[in-house]
Amino acid sequence: MDFSTIILLLDSTLRLATPLLLACLAGLFSERAGVLDIGLEGKMLAAAFFSAACAAVTGSVWLGLLAGCGASLFLSVVHGLASITFRGNQLISGVAINFLAAGLTVLIGQNWFSLGGRTPPLAGNARFQSITLPFADTLEPLPLIGPLYHDVLSGHTILVYVGLLAVPLTWWVLFRTRFGLRLRAVGENPGAVDTAGVSVIKLRYGAVLICGILCGLAGAYLATGLSAGFVKDMSAGRGFIALAALIFAKWRPWYALSACLLFGLLDALGNRFQNAELLGIAIPVQFMQALPYILTVVILAGFVGKATPPRAGGAAYVKER
Amino acid sequence: MDRLPKWADILLIPAINLLLALLVSGLVIALIGENPFQAMRIMINGAVGSAYGWGYTLYYATNFIFTGLAVAVAFHARLFNIGGEGQATLGGLGVALVCMMLPWPHWSLALPAAIIGGALFGAAWAAIPAYLQAKRGSHIVITTIMFNFIASALLVYLLVNVLKVPGSMAPETPRFPEGARLPSAFEFAGWLGFTRSAPLNVAFFVAILCCIGVYYLIWRTRLGYEIRAYGWSQPAAVYAGISPYKIIMVSMLISGGLAGLMAVNAVQGEAERLVIDSVQGAGFVGIAVALMGRSHPLGVFLAALLFGMLYQGGAELEFEIPAITKEMVVVIQSLVILFTGALDNMVRLPVERMFLRIGPGKDA
């Protein structure tokens, strides 16, 4: 594997890791506040569809982004109603949201554009354009640093950088602000937070809404940054892989970044080496495609260290009466 | 604690939940610009208006009984098996291998063998997530979903590279031998008006036997008692000497086996060869069926029948109103899961309050 191949691989790693990273941070906020969210997948999918559809109709990717976040926020409110207000089963609510998104996107898409559930291909201002970082061209001739900066880091769409910046921001919010402290506390011991006179319900809704916005960004990136339009089921399990990355990262932002980059790399490898050979044995393309899922199982099995989830995760809080 | 009469819990609340789900579905249809009442009429007519419709409705219902029971058994142990799709896919592989292995002389011999093959393969596919949950504490919901993806990749690989008819382009196995063919509704109930095209077959009776079997297992055996005890309270079950490892493994093996049996109906009974997507989402429908049916075999049977109607009616709907795609069924199904599963308290609390106001129930 020569240097230029590695550069290309790293470039697509960053591209493919971004939707995972945004979804993973979304799950981080929700689960740190004690609300499990299996519905990341569905929220991403809904956001992907509505961002692409709105961008196709209005010609503006920013309006698309807004619509995508709106759709994702709507599903977040449904999840919040089910798991916070009505104390329903959070897993079942998430599963329902995934199906709802899978069905509605195709149904509305077919009704809207009559393209079998797709949106029309996006071009021009209806897509996020790549951004050249400052000095990228001046630094290019430098050995190693030049190509890394010019080809890997520079030249992505704005949402890639938003994703990367969201990592320190998440860390700062969670570990350096009062809101973050309370949010983590509500995921560990909601009773204590309640006793301190802080509303458990408001905090959890806050976390779930942040989760909705981040999933909206992830979905919008999927349809208007990574691809040029919406295709049926285009989230393809990324929401679940983001959840696995979250467990791998033990619910911490910086680890989430590295876990998502790892999955992005796997994805990039699978795309590039469809007919790989290892020790003289041809590896089937289906195996390469299933690799992220297999790795997810391995990670979940705890073969890479035990992860302890937030203690109150999955349980609705019942105020003492 | 139990302020509701039993009939309200079993019938009234699911009925209100279902009504709400249908109401929102109707809203979706209205928003698309079609008439929900006309859509409803087409669906009901398409599903139960003719022997042809019933032939399909009951065929789909058979699939959903198997996957619904699968989810229900795991639910009793408070395990959420989302892997029915993958387990049924692998069950299909098991059934296909059994059917192609021997030149079966008669279907009455092929059927039990295929049942064993399908159940074994389905159970084996559930065994790994079960083991990981029991021993490593990994989240069974996510592992089973991952196993769905892995199962479909595995099946594509096998059909494209190993099991395909040499020289053929289609990724599917050869047709099963004549002796493995299950009698269809035309053959055993043609006098009811079923035609040759109806996919309903004897696997329907296997499904009914499974309902009875699951009822006996859960409520009449020691193992079933242990499964329910574990699902009710894990610390109490452990205190009573019930091994969590055993319960998780056994209930997931039974669950996977039941999901695998779906292939007897879809692969052996209908397609008569293994194709890429023989399950067609039935594994997921099982979740809605189990939730609606309150994890009781009779409830599962009725809910499966309802979803069978929905699927057959939905197919007619797609045919009559092109603006409504087959994903409408997925939407209705997700709303049923949402209202019966996650938003149950939204209906339950007001209903409970209403019953309290009317007067204290006998078991209050």
Side-chain angles (χ1 to χ4, degrees), chain A residues 18-33:
Chain A
T18 297
L20 293 177
L21 179 62
L22 286 165
C24 187
L25 293 175
L28 185 73
F29 273 101
S30 184
E31 300 207 353
R32 276 284 187 165

Side-chain angles (χ1 to χ4, degrees), chain B residues 16-71:
Chain B
I16 297 175
N17 285 332
L18 183 68
L19 214 64
L20 282 173
L22 288 181
L23 199 73
V24 178
S25 313
L27 271 176
V28 171
I29 293 178
L31 282 177
I32 284 177
E34 301 293 337
N35 182 346
F37 297 101
Q38 193 205 351
M40 187 85 164
R41 208 184 35 112
I42 292 172
M43 282 181 87
I44 293 176
N45 206 24
V48 295
S50 62
Y52 170 87
W54 275 106
Y56 273 92
T57 294
L58 289 177
Y59 163 74
Y60 288 125
T62 310
N63 284 340
F64 303 152
I65 291 172
F66 285 124
T67 55
L69 285 177
V71 177

